Structures are given as C-alpha cells and as structure tokens.
C-alpha cells in the first residue's frame, strides 16, 4: 500500500505549479493554503480516475462533501491517499 501513497503523492506533485514544494500527508489541496488552483484540482481528479482504472476500480471523487474544506478527501494529501486506498479496498 505504500506504493499507492507514493504514486498518489507523485500525481499530486505533477499538478503543483511550484516544483519546489514537496508533497507530504499535510499538504493542503483545497481551501486556504492550497498548493493547487481549481484547474490543477480538476486535472488531479481526472488523473486519479485513470490511475484507479489501472488499479482495477472506479475512483469516485464526486461525493457531496468532496469540496468541504473540513471534511473533504481533498483537504490534504494524506486524506486523499486514505480515501483512495479505502475505495480501492472496497471495490476490488
């Protein structure tokens, strides 16, 4: 499962404009202090869909709370990895 963490972090890294930023669990993805603008966030979602398809499942990033800064899977990189892993484990 650490491979999934590494791969999702790499996908996030590719969407960040400032390449000096290193992705960690606490890297903020939406809201104040976010490292992604709205277009980069859309690109991240689409790339995660493709990555999930390679892993054999459909990644659902469209939940009602997806863009809530306090509960969203996108609040930081660690929460996104956790949600991705949960969906992968549930749907395989």
């Amino acid at each position: 499962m650490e491979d999934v963490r590494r791969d999702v972090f790499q996908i996030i890294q590719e969407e960040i404009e400032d390449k000096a930023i290193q992705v960690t669990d606490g890297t903020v993805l939406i809201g104040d202090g976010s490292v992604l603008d709205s277009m980069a966030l859309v690109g991240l979602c689409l790339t995660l869909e493709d990555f999930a398809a390679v892993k054999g499942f459909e990644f659902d990033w469209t939940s009602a709370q997806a863009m809530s800064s306090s509960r969203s899977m996108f609040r930081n990189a660690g929460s996104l990895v956790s949600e991705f892993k949960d969906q992968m484990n549930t749907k395989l």
Side-chain angles (χ1 to χ4, degrees):
M1 282 296 180
E2 282 307 307
D3 289 344
V4 171
R5 175 180 297 283
R6 182 197 66 229
D7 292 342
V8 171
F9 277 17
Q10 181 61 39
I11 291 167
I12 295 167
Q13 186 73 50
E14 290 170 7
E15 295 294 338
I16 298 174
E17 191 170 313
D18 182 352
K19 298 304 179 192
I21 295 172
Q22 292 299 308
V23 177
T24 66
D25 281 335
T27 300
V28 178
L29 303 179
I30 63 169
D32 292 340
S34 172
V35 296
L36 302 174
D37 63 19
S38 58
M39 290 304 294
L41 184 60
V42 170
L44 173 63
C45 292
L46 296 174
T47 303
L48 287 171
E49 280 184 349
D50 292 343
F51 180 53
V54 169
K55 293 286 188 186
F57 74 100
E58 185 175 326
F59 182 63
D60 180 13
W61 52 271
T62 62
S63 71
Q65 59 189 4
M67 296 304 157
S68 163
S69 60
S70 64
R71 297 173 305 188
S72 172
M73 71 178 87
F74 295 105
R75 67 186 174 277
N76 59 49
S79 61
L80 181 57
V81 168
S82 292
E83 178 64 22
F84 190 91
K85 286 180 178 180
D86 287 348
Q87 287 189 33
M88 184 172 69
N89 291 333
T90 301
K91 296 177 180 178
L92 289 181

